[in-house]
Amino acid sequence: MKFHVMTLFPDMISAGLHTSILGRAMDAGIIELKTHDIRDYSKDKHRHVDDYPYGGGAGMVMSAEPIAACYADICEKRMRRDRPRVIYVTPWGKPFHQEMAKEMAEMDDLIFLCGHYEGVDERVLESIVTDYVSIGDYVLSGGELPAMVMIDAISRMVPGVLTNEESGMTESFENNLLEYPQYTRPEEWNERKVPEVLLSGNHKKIAEWRAERSVDRTMKYRPELMEGAVLDKKTAKYYREHYVNEK
Ligand code: SAM
């Protein structure tokens, strides 16, 4: 899978993503990352990429032309007939979530547009963008961190990026549940013991314990997720007995 990122800070993207699991996946050629410096497409001799907002108001707005030229260059080199998926990361976009990451991981390539200043001239957004995505209800200075967050989450869902041991299938948000608590050695730390059942070697009991703790954690931190969770018979009984007021 190939990620293109249109940005004013290409080094931030490369440095931030070329580590750990993603770095390994890039070295193995499973995912590819290409940054595109929007400033390289400015026709201005000072390489300006922004201008004052029409109608007045604070700050600057990223101009349409350098972004459109950058996009045209990516499309030309991409050598495909289908329209590429272009994601503008923005606080007013649809909230990003795990199902979106999974769906996007099925694409051959994705193009990200990182905004700065007060945002981007609406006309270029209308011309090239297919998806508007937010990583949360707060305002960051630029789109680089949101693009990196999304690329990390999407890459984890691309087959071959995670090893079997790192499998994404048991992680939080799988089946709308949060992950159960995890423990590693030593067995006792600061007078706190690892739950007995995890030392028992009884895989059935361990699976049951984990399913129940997932329910507990989801109900404590994200109860609204529970509505979409599909529970096996035993876990559903546990949920009913502990969280639903019915006989
Ligand atoms: N004036 C814009 C508004 O009120 O919606 C905010 C612009 S913000 C300072 C600059 C850029 O950062 C945005 O164009 C966007 O690309 C990115 N950005 C900031 N917060 C974000 C968020 N929560 N999710 C995704 N992108 C974000």
Side-chain angles (χ1 to χ4, degrees), residues 57-78:
M60 303 294 275
V61 175
M62 285 175 74
S63 311
E65 191 47 40
I67 294 170
C70 180
Y71 170 75
D73 194 26
I74 296 171
C75 289
E76 198 183 313
K77 294 191 176 124
R78 186 172 171 261

Side-chain angles (χ1 to χ4, degrees), residues 29-215:
I30 303 167
I31 56 170
E32 206 181 323
L33 174 70
K34 180 106 183 66
T35 56
H36 304 266
D37 190 342
I38 297 168
R39 243 176 246 288
D40 290 345
Y41 297 87
S42 168
K43 295 208 174 90
D44 186 274
K45 69 173 177 197
H46 300 295
R47 290 170 41 94
H48 282 142
V49 289
D50 57 334
D51 214 328
Y52 294 98
Y54 274 116
M60 303 294 275
V61 175
M62 285 175 74
S63 311
E65 191 47 40
I67 294 170
C70 180
Y71 170 75
D73 194 26
I74 296 171
C75 289
E76 198 183 313
K77 294 191 176 124
R78 186 172 171 261
M79 295 201 300
R80 289 171 62 123
R81 277 172 173 270
D82 58 330
R83 184 178 175 187
R85 192 98 175 252
V86 181
I87 298 150
Y88 175 48
V89 282
T90 170
W92 47 264
K94 287 208 174 118
F96 186 51
H97 53 74
Q98 189 70 10
E99 283 308 309
M100 209 189 266
K102 273 191 203 164
E103 183 261 318
M104 287 180 175
E106 286 172 15
M107 308 298 296
D108 291 330
D109 59 357
L110 288 173
I111 302 176
F112 285 86
L113 170 60
C114 305
H116 257 273
Y117 318 118
E118 288 310 311
V120 175
D121 188 312
E122 191 72 17
R123 293 166 296 180
V124 72
L125 298 179
E126 286 165 4
S127 318
I128 68 170
V129 172
T130 56
D131 300 71
Y132 297 88
V133 183
S134 162
I135 63 155
D137 290 349
Y138 41 79
V139 178
L140 297 162
S141 312
E144 283 70 23
L145 289 172
M148 285 157 72
V149 164
M150 287 186 65
I151 291 170
D152 188 315
I154 295 165
S155 297
R156 294 172 67 80
M157 296 293 116
V158 172
V161 168
L162 296 182
T163 60
N164 275 346
E165 295 82 62
E166 295 159 348
S167 167
M169 299 315 287
T170 58
E171 286 185 312
S172 291
F173 306 111
E174 237 353 271
N175 192 20
N176 264 37
L177 292 170
L178 302 183
E179 196 189 48
Y180 47 80
Q182 301 272 18
Y183 300 86
T184 185
R185 288 191 292 183
E187 256 179 60
E188 187 170 335
W189 176 81
N190 278 6
E191 295 176 21
R192 288 163 187 265
K193 289 188 174 158
V194 171
E196 276 295 323
V197 63
L198 299 180
L199 311 173
S200 68
N202 183 334
H203 296 297
K204 191 163 168 269
K205 284 255 171 292
I206 292 173
E208 277 168 25
W209 181 89
R210 285 179 166 166
E212 289 173 4
R213 297 300 79 72
S214 276
V215 167

